[in-house]
Amino acid sequence: MRALAAETSKLASLPAVWIATAAGVVVPGVIAAITASAALGAIDRGPAAIAAIDTGYQELAFGVVGAIILGVVAVSSEYVTESADSGGGRQITTSLTAVPSRLRFLLAKLSAIAISSAMLAITAAVTTMGVVRVVLGEHAPALGADDVPRLAGVACYWVYSALLAAGITVLTRHGVVPLAVLIANTSVVSVTYLLTKITPLANYLPDMAGVRMFIRKLADSTAEISPLTGGLVMTAWVTVLLVTAAISFTRRDA
Amino acid sequence: MTGGDASRSHVDVITIDNLVKRRGSREILSGISFRARPGRVTGFLGPNGAGKSSTLRILLGLDRATSGAALIGSVPFAKLPDPLAMVGAMLDGPGAHRARTGRAHLRWVARSAGLPRARVDEVLEVVGLTNAASKRVGAYSLGMGRRLGLATALLGDPEILVLDEPVNGLDPDGIRWIRTLLRERAASGRTVLLSGHLMGELAETVDDVVVVNEGKVVADGTLGEVTGAYRTLEDAFFALTTGAAS
């Protein structure tokens, strides 16, 4: 528990984590405001138009960048070299002299990432759904019992994405490449989505499978995957990656 | 002097036993052995690249030895139940993220050992960083970074201090201050192991000297024994590490 307290304290005092938090809440909130306004315009013009089933959820699938940044910087901050002026050391040295068991250190770090990304997902979901409700008013899709497992799916997707990002960064020991690749894949060009056009197998990549937990109508879907199956597939990816990261981390020199 | 009771002096001994470290085909350590005893300041000296940092990293469980052992008392560092209360360490700089404040850095370290927040303010006071505690570590000078590293090492009020190049970047006042601090800790029966290559500063601080060169121990004894026939420790050091008699 002490190790977890230390990791939580590290996250809370790292400015990059606050940037990640802001991105996680602002990105889906702003996109939701824009798309909801556009939807409202369409509804006003024609009575046939209704708000889509994935309103709010689509935006939360983008907002996961916040969780990804969180997962990457939580690990990469351990490996950032200090300025040569102050000796060129790295925080991992202090971390492992404070908590010498590699496995305990890694478990504490991943737990802190999971807890904070879950809290971030809940905050983002409340904000995004709130924005949708404010903008669309009576036209907003009603939130019902069906949304409980979907919102749980959002939280699960965010936590898994943060853990995947953290696991990859444990392997690279550097934040720039995982950050660039993962953010680009989520926002600019989704390589994993393009791959589904080439092979249906790409639907089982972690992000493509994971979004099925809460997205109901995936554009041009090339495979039918149930929310539960999607969740299980992503769980498998996360497990394999974290086990690989743990083996590498406990064996190599710090 | 051999301060402390018998059991404590046993627990506080650092034993480096025939350490060998290879990276690829390069042998960095070729069988390093020595002890650092309680009540004494042991200077671990050698030119850059001699294997000082590798030895200390293996002692702290950061790197793995190819063979041999490094023990705190009778156990490896990683097996210590309360590491910060037993060993305080500083390796290449403070080991703090530059975006965090000095105080925030010390706070997470304190939390990892269940130490109270008040202890953070105490060590900040001891190393003279109270006024810079709210500044980000990235804005610290080399000397301030050393002081933060020392504050981290002192947090758990440990029995053993392991310091890599502690006087690097300190001004004359700082060097004098750290010398007094280390002498006081040894006088109270604790163990101090420090590495360095600045002979002038170290000669007035250490009781025992271990000199390494190219991964091997080339001299091991009290300051007097190692200095021996040479005029100063510095002369002895250069003679031992370059093979040229002065």
Side-chain angles (χ1 to χ4, degrees):
Chain A
M1 284 315 284
R2 283 175 176 180
L4 178 59
E7 289 305 323
T8 315
S9 174
K10 277 185 195 172
L11 287 184
S13 59
L14 196 64
V17 167
W18 293 102
I19 294 171
T21 307
V25 177
V26 172
V27 167
V30 168
I31 303 177
I34 296 167
T35 51
S37 310
L40 192 63
I43 291 166
D44 287 344
R45 280 192 300 276
I50 50 156
I53 185 168
D54 285 330
T55 306
Y57 291 100
Q58 239 4 309
E59 289 79 358
L60 287 167
F62 282 111
V64 80
V65 288
I68 289 171
I69 299 172
L70 177 78
V72 170
V73 298
V75 175
S76 66
S77 60
E78 295 286 342
Y79 293 101
V80 174
T81 311
E82 293 161 11
S83 59
D85 273 354
S86 63
R90 295 174 307 167
Q91 184 180 284
I92 188 78
T93 307
T94 311
S95 298
L96 291 179
T97 40
V99 183
S101 160
R102 303 271 174 107
L103 210 51
R104 202 154 67 84
F105 165 77
L106 196 59
L107 281 175
K109 171 137 324 236
L110 294 174
S111 305
I113 293 169
I115 293 165
S116 39
S117 54
M119 282 164 37
L120 179 57
I122 292 167
T123 312
V126 169
T127 311
T128 306
M129 292 309 180
V131 166
V132 169
R133 244 121 228 99
V134 168
V135 176
L136 285 181
E138 54 174 331
H139 300 294
L143 280 179
D146 184 41
D147 288 286
V148 175
R150 288 182 81 186
L151 289 169
V154 170
C156 195
Y157 182 66
W158 281 44
V159 170
Y160 280 170
S161 298
L163 291 176
L164 278 175
I168 293 168
T169 314
V170 168
L171 294 171
T172 61
R173 286 191 267 190
H174 204 284
V176 174
V177 173
L179 207 54
V181 170
L182 294 172
I183 290 180
N185 189 61
T186 309
S187 53
V188 189
V189 188
S190 177
V191 177
T192 44
Y193 172 74
L194 293 176
L195 279 175
T196 64
K197 303 290 149 205
I198 298 166
T199 164
L201 281 178
N203 285 294
Y204 292 91
L205 286 169
D207 57 332
M208 293 310 294
V211 293
R212 311 282 181 149
M213 288 189 276
F214 57 95
I215 298 287
R216 292 292 177 260
K217 271 190 174 168
L218 213 54
D220 316 319
S221 173
T222 51
E224 278 307 312
I225 299 174
S226 75
L228 183 63
T229 311
L232 290 175
V233 169
M234 197 171 183
T235 307
W237 278 105
V238 171
T239 309
V240 169
L241 185 75
L242 291 186
V243 167
T244 312
I247 291 171
S248 160
F249 184 71
T250 49
R251 289 192 179 175
R252 76 190 174 204
D253 285 348
Chain B
M1 86 167 259
T2 53
D5 55 66
S7 65
R8 181 161 126 177
S9 42
H10 171 72
V11 171
D12 296 358
V13 176
I14 297 174
T15 308
I16 304 292
D17 184 15
N18 206 13
L19 279 188
V20 175
K21 173 74 176 175
R22 282 190 206 96
R23 274 205 191 94
S25 60
R26 219 158 63 85
E27 193 163 82
I28 294 158
L29 304 178
S30 320
I32 298 250
S33 297
F34 68 89
R35 278 165 184 260
R37 295 174 178 80
R40 305 189 67 84
V41 176
T42 304
F44 186 39
L45 314 181
N48 289 330
K52 303 187 299 282
S53 293
S54 289
T55 304
L56 298 186
R57 289 181 64 84
I58 291 169
L59 173 63
L60 296 170
L62 296 166
D63 289 359
R64 266 179 196 47
T66 307
S67 66
L71 304 174
I72 307 289
S74 54
V75 295
F77 177 79
K79 293 275 189 300
L80 291 173
D82 198 354
L84 285 190
M86 195 63 202
V87 182
M90 173 172 71
L91 298 181
D92 38 64
H97 192 278
R98 55 174 96 183
R100 229 178 244 117
T101 64
R103 183 180 279 114
H105 172 71
L106 290 169
R107 279 205 177 143
W108 77 252
V109 180
R111 292 190 98 177
S112 77
L115 298 167
R117 272 188 173 201
R119 181 66 192 149
V120 169
D121 294 323
E122 278 173 32
V123 291
L124 281 167
E125 186 74 43
V126 169
V127 303
L129 274 183
T130 305
N131 291 330
S134 307
K135 277 217 250 176
R136 296 200 188 282
V137 174
Y140 281 15
S141 65
L142 181 53
M144 288 161 87
R146 291 285 135 169
R147 287 171 187 265
L148 179 61
L150 271 169
T152 314
L154 292 171
L155 258 184
D157 194 19
E159 298 296 318
I160 297 174
L161 280 180
V162 176
L163 309 173
D164 197 7
E165 310 263 4
V167 298
N168 236 4
L170 290 180
D171 53 23
D173 272 354
I175 292 173
R176 194 184 172 82
W177 163 77
I178 197 169
R179 185 179 293 154
T180 311
L181 178 94
L182 299 180
R183 293 300 337 157
E184 280 172 6
R185 300 209 55 104
S188 66
R190 300 178 205 233
T191 309
V192 179
L193 173 62
L194 54 92
S195 78
H197 60 266
L198 299 168
M199 297 309 122
E201 276 84 6
L202 290 169
E204 293 177 46
T205 311
V206 300
D207 302 298
D208 296 326
V209 179
V210 178
V211 183
V212 285
N213 193 32
E214 293 174 355
K216 293 187 192 71
V217 174
V218 291
D220 181 0
T222 64
L223 179 63
E225 286 167 2
V226 171
T227 309
Y230 300 98
R231 196 167 49 86
T232 63
L233 177 62
E234 189 167 358
D235 289 345
F237 174 81
F238 284 113
L240 288 161
T241 57
T242 59
S246 69

